Amino acid sequence: CEICEEQVNNQWWLYHCDESDHSFHSDCLLFWHRMKLGGTIRIYINDEMHTLAFVFKMNVRTNSPLFICGNCGDAYTAGLFFECDGCGFLICLNCVSKIHGG
């Protein structure tokens, strides 16, 4: 699967693109597991400027890697985050609130 990077079984329900030859688990393509909610913020972290989008992320498989906050290091199976489109940097909502004094 191109999303979770686990092996797909062609005997189970899946989506496949003949043009790109990519396959996806049907659960991995559910739109609400990874959704951009709109809005961005610009923030300096470790002397680098990031433009972060407000997103909801949720693991669809029990053995998928956790979402790790790049600021505090906490691990999550689901939650609201801010994510950098450029580098993939992820920061939890709690850390953004602390950084912005909220």
Side-chain angles (χ1 to χ4, degrees):
C1 176
E2 292 299 314
I3 295 173
C4 73
E5 298 181 352
E6 293 180 19
Q7 189 171 4
V8 294
N9 180 339
N10 63 4
Q11 301 300 310
W12 297 344
W13 188 265
L14 61 91
Y15 292 93
H16 182 78
C17 175
D18 288 333
E19 267 184 48
S20 67
D21 198 32
H22 290 149
S23 295
F24 306 91
H25 296 111
S26 58
D27 286 348
C28 290
L29 286 178
L30 292 174
F31 73 94
W32 53 270
H33 288 134
R34 289 177 174 82
M35 180 186 331
K36 288 187 179 181
L37 300 172
T40 59
I41 60 171
R42 293 177 57 92
I43 191 169
Y44 272 102
I45 298 175
N46 300 329
D47 296 326
E48 291 183 49
M49 175 61 79
H50 295 271
T51 301
L52 306 171
F54 190 44
V55 298
F56 172 75
K57 291 181 169 275
M58 181 176 141
N59 281 338
V60 294
R61 306 186 77 71
T62 56
N63 56 349
S64 292
L66 298 174
F67 301 108
I68 308 293
C69 174
N71 190 59
C72 67
D74 286 351
Y76 301 88
T77 57
L80 295 170
F81 303 94
F82 284 88
E83 180 177 40
C84 182
D85 282 336
C87 69
F89 181 82
L90 195 69
I91 186 168
C92 68
L93 196 54
N94 290 335
C95 286
V96 171
S97 294
K98 290 175 187 174
I99 291 169
H100 281 285

